[in-house]
Amino acid sequence: MDIISSVMESYGLSPLPEYTAEAMAYVPFQQFNSETYSPAQALEAGTVYPILNKPFFGSKCEVKAE
């Protein structure tokens, strides 16, 4: 069982609120079993998690190829 499932089962919590308001940003719990960059890659990307590496290119986002 992963940590999110364990927390949800133990405490009755979900990654997002049950009721959400329009135009509000909600960020789910971080998955700690994610891959990580090396320190040099993380410094260059601005994040240690590849899944969060979403560079902004004007009006569109692109996922960086590995």
Side-chain angles (χ1 to χ4, degrees):
M1 178 181 294
D2 66 351
I3 189 73
I4 298 299
S5 299
S6 177
V7 168
M8 289 173 60
E9 187 176 297
S10 298
Y11 298 101
L13 299 174
S14 69
L16 294 172
E18 183 176 352
Y19 301 103
T20 58
E22 293 78 13
M24 295 293 293
Y26 295 94
V27 179
F29 295 129
Q30 174 67 42
Q31 300 285 331
F32 291 109
N33 55 351
S34 301
E35 292 180 41
T36 57
Y37 283 139
S38 69
Q41 289 174 305
L43 186 60
E44 183 178 328
T47 179
V48 73
Y49 299 104
I51 198 165
L52 297 179
N53 187 4
K54 305 210 182 314
F56 181 72
F57 298 105
S59 62
K60 64 180 179 178
C61 286
E62 294 180 10
V63 176
K64 191 173 187 178
E66 306 224 2

